[in-house]
Structures are given as structure tokens and as C-alpha cells.
Amino acid sequence: MSWLSSSDPARQKPARTNLWLGLAVCIVVAVLAAVTAGEVARRDAEAELARQAQAAAALHAAVLRSELEKHRSLPLALSGDPDIASLLKSRATAADAVNAKLEGLARQTRAAAIYVIDAGGRTRAASNWRLPTSFVGADYGFRPYFINAMRSAQAEFFALGTVSGRPGLYLARRVDAADGAPLGVVVVKVEFDALEAEWRASGEPAYVVDPTGVVLITSVPDWRFRTLDPLDETRRRLTLNGQTLRPEALRPLPFDTPANDRPRLIQTSPIGGEQRWMHAAVTTDTPGWTLHLLSPSRGAVEAAVASARALAALIVTLLAGLAAVLLRRRQQALIRARAEEDARHELERRIDERTRELSNQIEERRRAEAARERLRDELVQASKLAALGQIVASVAHEINQPVAAIQTQAETAAVLLDRQDAATARTALSRIGDLTQRIGAITEGLRTFSRKTDPKIGVVRLENAIHGALLLTRGRLDEGGVALIREGDADVAVRADRFRLEQVIVNLVKNAAEALEGRPGARLTLRVERSADRVRLIVADNGPGVPDPVRAQLFTPFVTTRANGLGLGLVICRDLVAGFGGELDLIETNEGATFVATLRTA
């Protein structure tokens, strides 16, 4: 009979081949996972950019709608004014009183101009009657807004002023006599300089186009009266004459606007250097007007793709390493099993030979049997020790790095104690505690890191949440010179998710710090009050407080008192507290703003 040793190359080759094959599969999986994760991250980032751009475009459209609604009511009201009707009925009536009235209305409503045109097209009164550019006496019977208003009772028309040369929207309303006969037209010119300046300050180019694709209102002055697409010569000539535009107007925009209203990324350089923009478009209340918004991507998509691919590569690399270790251990276990099998067969062969040699000697046979039994016992014991060694090696492999780190921190703490540096030594001991927690979470940590976890509502020590929040916000308070006052005992357990409760406290403290910025004697108070089954966390400041018009809608999305705020922080905080079974409210106080988060005791 022939036997193969455990170190036989023919036996080791399949194990090595399987090992390298497994590693190759892991590498392929890592590449595929990185590519897939990158594409998923790209889609998610583009979807988030599209959502933000669409929301910003809707906000711009809401501001435009508010501005137009404010001015549209003015010509309607003036069309029924008896003084204006009297002026239009009689050419002998003095216009000074009407001029003064229109001048005051234009100043109050911030309209560019308000004027009255009789049925013959001649201007009888105007808000700019005192200025050298007064419309009084001018003939506007040829303007489209006059013609359309006389025919259809009302008209809206965007064009350049024939006198001022400034663009604006002309809102016209016909004035009728008691018997229904048309007497003339009341016109309000609205200019959008303030609105365009506000859009320009946001850093996101915006423009409004009419049904023919001509840009009317825009945060980029050079785009005004440009077009989305080139116009043929007939349309170009009609538009130039109708809107009193200069010949160089109606050129196409320096970039292509997407044809549909679905948000999408475009590669262009409308302003500044070449970069990517998320385009969004929404319709407005004005028929045929569409608002377009370009939101800069600022490399968000590329950053998200790179991060996702790096994360996927890291996770799969760690899994590949773990797979390699397991494959290597399996190979070694097979080699040991084969060696043990060879040893057993060799032992049995030798015992058989010895038995045959001593077949005539009973005593020697008995000694051989006894030796055989001893060898078998030793073999069983060796097998037990080998299994025990595998277990010890496995555990040692998993906790080797944390234990080494604990040893280093312990030696550091000993040195620090010798130096009587108790504070730093305490930090080292705290790190030892963290490392011991890590030993129990070695395998669980990777799995939880790669998936989205749901919030866990449980028992939370309120002081821990407050402490964690202040770690994030204390620097902001100190920088702003805000005095922090703690009142009440926060050593109480509540029902919440600690990290989300910290998020609520951070938001309230941050809002208070912003309200107190630059205020002398700034003070922020954190007070804890207990009742039977409730705990009230009170965050109060001595700032300017919340204005009454905003107070009633404070927890409504997009309502904010800050110029650069989105109006979503308090809405999210109230939802988080409600998820704990609690409430978040703003209460009436004599000074500043006071928010109360009511939580359930654990």
C-alpha cells in the first residue's frame, strides 16, 4: 500500500487553485459593485438636484405671482373710479386732482407708471405728470395694450416704454360709462427690477418667456428679449414692431433650453465658466408665460458617484479579504484532516504488523494492544487540542487589533498617571472603553454600516442628548458671545431616539444663536421641567422674537424669518418630536422666543 504525505504538491494544487479562483471572483464582484453603486448614486444625486431645482423654480414662480396679483387689482379698481370717468367724459374737466391721485397710488404701490388714456388714444392724466418724461398729452392709440383693452375690456402686454425705454408689463383696463359706452383705458406699468435683483442674489439664473419664446423677465440683463429658438424674419419683424424693440434684440440665448418641462442636467456656460446646470421649468399664472431656472450642480453628482464607488470598493474589498481568510483556513483544515487521516492509517498499519510479529507471544500482544489504545487516546486528545487551537486562533484574529490598541492606551494611561496628568489619562481610559465595545461589534458593524437603519425609539437619558447637542453648538455660542444658562435637572429618562433628539436640540440652539447674533447681553436658557409623565425641555433666548405675522404659520413649510432660510428646520423638528410621542410648540413670552419640547418619560 502507498501513502501520500500532507505536503504532496498534487494535493495542495487544487486548494491553491480554488483560493485564487475565489479571490478573482471577489475582485470581479468588487468592480461590478463599484460601477453599480456609482450609477445608483448618480441617479439619486441627479434626482435630488432636480427636486431642489423644481422647488426653487416653484418658489420663484410664487414670488412672481404675488407681485403680479398685487398690481392686477389696481387697474380694475381705477376703472370704476368716478373721478377718472368724469375726466374721460368731459375734456373740460381739470386733470390735476386725478394726476395727484395717480401719483400717490404709484408711489404707494411702487408701480412704474399709472396713466389714463381717452377713447381717442390721448393720455389725459398720468402719475409722472410732474416729470419731463410725462405721458400727459402723448398719443398711445397705436399700442397693442390700448387696442386690446378697448376691444376686450382688459389687456396685458410686455414691451419697452416708448418714452422711458425701460421694459415692463402693461396692465390695461377699459373704463365704461353707465350706459356701457367705452370712455378710455386705465394703464398700470409694472417693472420688475426689484424682483430680478432678488433672483440675481440667489445665484441661480432665472428667466420668464412668453408663448413665442421671447425672454421677458430675467436675472441676467443680457438675456432680456432674447429667444429660446431663432425666429423667422416675419415673426422677428412683427415682434420688434409690437414691443418697440431695438433691431439687435431677439437674438437666440447663448445656450440651448431643454424642450420639455422635466428637470434635466445641461452642459453649458450661460454665465461664468463652463459647468453643469440643472434646468427646471414651471408654468405661471400668466397665460403662456413659463419660468425657467438654472441651478448649478457644483460637482454634486460627480462627488456622489465618487463617494459611492469608493464606499462600495471599500466594503467589497473588506469582504474579499474576509473571504480570502476563510478560504485559507478551509485549505489549512483540509490539509490537517488529510494529515490526520494519513497518520491514522500509518498507525493502524504499524499496529497490524506488530500484532502479526507477536502472534505467538500473548504478553507482547497485550502490550501492543495497550500501546494501541494509548496511541488512540493521544490521537483523540490531539484532535481535541487542534480544534481548541482553531477556536482560539479565530477569536484572537477577530480581536487582535482592538486588544493591541487597548494595550497601547493602557500603557499611555500609566505614563500619564505617573506624570499626574489625570485629565489626559481619563481620555485614554475612555478610549479603552470604546475599544472594548468595538470588540463585540466587529462583525455586526460592517453589516449595519452597509444598510439604512430605522430609528429606534427607546430609553434616552436627556442629559446625554443635551450634552451631545452642545458639543456641536457650543463653539457657535461662544463665538457669538451668547451666555448659556442651564436650569433644572436633566438627569431623566425619556422615550426618544437619541440621535434624532440631538438633532432637534441642535436646530433649536442654532436658530437661537442666529437670532442673537450681534445682540449685546445675548442669553440662551436651557431649562428642564418635570411633571407626572412628561418632561418639558425649554429653549429660550432674549433675542428679537418671532413677528406676529410669522408666528401663526411658523410650523408651515417654507415660512421663515431669515433671508437665507428655507423654512423647513422647525417643521422637521416638530415631526421628529411627534415621532417620539411628544410635542414642539412656540409659547408666548415677554422677551425673545421660547420653544418647548414636551417628551414622554420612560
Side-chain angles (χ1 to χ4, degrees):
M1 181 181 296
S2 61
W3 304 92
L4 293 175
S5 68
S6 60
S7 60
D8 191 344
R11 181 172 294 182
Q12 292 180 356
K13 184 175 181 179
R16 288 196 298 268
T17 302
N18 292 336
L19 176 61
W20 288 110
L21 180 61
L23 289 177
V25 171
C26 290
I27 293 174
V28 172
V29 170
V31 173
L32 294 177
V35 173
T36 303
E39 291 305 314
V40 171
R42 183 189 305 279
R43 289 195 298 269
D44 292 345
E46 289 183 359
E48 178 62 18
L49 279 175
R51 185 192 64 78
Q52 294 177 0
Q54 194 70 24
L59 287 176
H60 282 56
V63 174
L64 176 62
R65 180 177 62 251
S66 175
E67 185 74 13
L68 291 177
E69 287 177 351
K70 178 179 66 176
H71 289 93
R72 281 187 176 126
S73 61
L74 188 56
L76 177 62
L78 291 176
S79 65
D81 188 286
D83 294 337
I84 294 177
S86 176
L87 175 65
L88 293 174
K89 287 178 183 178
S90 174
R91 294 184 176 276
T93 302
D96 290 350
V98 177
N99 285 330
K101 179 186 292 188
L102 298 182
E103 182 181 23
L105 284 174
R107 184 169 52 252
Q108 294 171 6
T109 61
R110 293 187 299 179
I114 306 175
Y115 49 104
V116 179
I117 308 174
D118 62 19
R122 178 172 167 268
T123 303
R124 300 293 303 280
S127 60
N128 58 1
W129 63 296
R130 301 178 188 271
L131 302 177
T133 57
S134 172
F135 296 169
V136 176
D139 184 4
Y140 291 125
F142 66 94
R143 296 304 294 266
Y145 59 81
F146 173 79
I147 298 171
N148 293 335
M150 289 293 291
R151 181 176 59 248
S152 305
Q154 62 179 359
E156 294 184 3
F157 187 70
F158 195 99
L160 288 176
T162 56
V163 176
S164 65
R166 296 176 58 83
L169 178 64
Y170 293 84
L171 306 173
R173 188 81 182 189
R174 189 177 67 202
V175 180
D176 295 330
D179 58 359
L183 299 176
V185 173
V186 176
V187 183
V188 176
K189 181 182 180 183
V190 182
E191 295 180 358
F192 300 93
D193 293 348
L195 179 63
E196 292 174 341
E198 183 179 343
W199 290 356
R200 194 176 302 115
S202 69
E204 297 177 328
Y207 53 100
V208 178
V209 300
D210 66 6
T212 64
V214 178
V215 177
L216 304 180
I217 306 170
T218 175
S219 60
V220 183
D222 185 57
W223 296 355
R224 195 184 320 281
F225 296 121
R226 289 202 177 193
T227 61
L228 300 184
D229 300 304
L231 301 180
D232 57 50
E233 189 58 32
T234 301
R235 289 176 58 197
R236 175 181 172 84
R237 184 171 56 257
L238 291 176
T239 305
L240 286 173
N241 295 334
Q243 294 180 312
T244 63
L245 303 180
R246 298 180 180 87
E248 64 271 12
L250 302 181
R251 292 175 297 151
L253 286 170
F255 57 94
D256 294 330
T257 299
N260 53 42
D261 293 339
R262 184 175 60 85
R264 54 173 291 188
L265 280 173
I266 61 175
Q267 184 77 26
T268 184
S269 56
I271 57 175
E274 183 82 10
Q275 62 171 307
R276 303 182 75 189
W277 303 79
M278 177 61 72
H279 170 269
V282 295
T283 57
T284 67
D285 286 352
T286 302
W289 282 19
T290 304
L291 186 143
H292 298 259
L293 180 76
L294 298 180
S295 182
S297 66
R298 300 186 177 92
V301 176
E302 292 75 9
V305 171
S307 299
R309 287 179 175 174
L311 179 60
L314 175 61
I315 294 175
V316 178
T317 300
L318 293 176
L319 293 177
L322 179 60
V325 171
L326 294 177
L327 288 173
R328 180 60 180 171
R329 288 181 179 177
R330 183 174 180 273
Q331 179 189 23
Q332 293 176 346
L334 290 174
I335 293 175
R336 285 193 296 270
R338 289 166 182 161
E340 291 173 358
E341 184 180 2
D342 292 347
R344 182 175 61 81
H345 287 303
E346 179 66 16
L347 178 61
E348 290 177 352
R349 184 183 66 80
R350 290 180 180 181
I351 291 176
D352 290 340
E353 290 179 355
R354 186 63 174 170
T355 301
R356 288 194 298 268
E357 290 176 359
L358 299 178
S359 59
N360 296 326
Q361 302 178 12
I362 299 175
E363 189 64 27
E364 291 181 0
R365 182 179 298 173
R366 291 177 179 175
R367 287 197 298 268
E369 288 291 336
R372 180 180 180 183
E373 291 298 327
R374 286 195 301 271
L375 288 174
R376 285 182 177 178
D377 291 340
E378 291 174 0
L379 182 61
V380 171
Q381 185 66 22
S383 178
K384 291 180 181 179
L385 292 176
L388 180 60
Q390 294 175 12
I391 296 173
V392 172
S394 175
V395 174
H397 177 79
E398 297 295 337
I399 66 173
N400 183 48
Q401 293 183 352
V403 168
I406 289 174
Q407 180 180 358
T408 301
Q409 293 295 333
E411 293 173 354
T412 302
V415 173
L416 293 172
L417 289 174
D418 292 340
R419 298 177 180 176
Q420 297 184 351
D421 189 353
T424 310
R426 189 176 295 108
T427 302
L429 293 174
S430 175
R431 292 173 181 167
I432 292 176
D434 294 339
L435 290 170
T436 56
Q437 293 178 1
R438 179 187 170 192
I439 293 175
I442 286 176
T443 57
E444 185 67 18
L446 287 176
R447 186 171 60 183
T448 56
F449 180 70
S450 62
R451 71 166 185 255
K452 185 178 180 181
T453 59
D454 297 329
K456 299 179 181 178
I457 307 299
V459 179
V460 177
R461 184 169 173 262
L462 182 57
E463 178 60 33
N464 292 341
I466 295 176
H467 177 72
L470 291 180
L471 283 177
L472 301 176
T473 58
R474 191 56 183 262
R476 176 68 179 274
L477 296 176
D478 293 341
E479 182 181 354
V482 180
L484 177 64
I485 301 175
R486 295 286 304 275
E487 297 180 357
D489 185 7
D491 190 11
V492 59
V494 297
R495 296 284 299 174
D497 178 85
R498 173 178 172 181
F499 301 106
R500 295 198 169 197
L501 180 56
E502 285 184 8
Q503 179 181 350
V504 172
I505 299 173
V506 166
N507 192 286
L508 294 177
V509 173
K510 180 175 66 67
N511 286 350
E514 292 179 355
L516 295 170
E517 187 172 356
R519 190 178 184 88
R523 183 177 68 254
L524 174 64
T525 301
L526 292 180
R527 183 166 64 254
V528 178
E529 296 179 355
R530 303 186 190 182
S531 60
D533 60 346
R534 291 289 187 271
V535 175
R536 285 162 42 102
L537 174 61
I538 301 173
V539 182
D541 63 69
N542 63 339
V546 181
D548 291 338
V550 179
R551 181 182 295 271
Q553 301 179 346
L554 186 60
F555 293 100
T556 302
F558 308 114
V559 175
T560 180
T561 59
R562 302 198 308 271
N564 59 346
L566 292 177
L568 296 176
L570 290 176
V571 178
I572 295 173
C573 288
R574 170 172 274 192
D575 289 344
L576 292 180
V577 175
F580 307 152
E583 298 177 352
L584 176 64
D585 293 299
L586 173 68
I587 63 174
E588 294 281 352
T589 54
N590 296 328
E591 181 184 32
T594 300
F595 289 88
V596 178
T598 304
L599 304 171
R600 296 168 53 195
T601 57

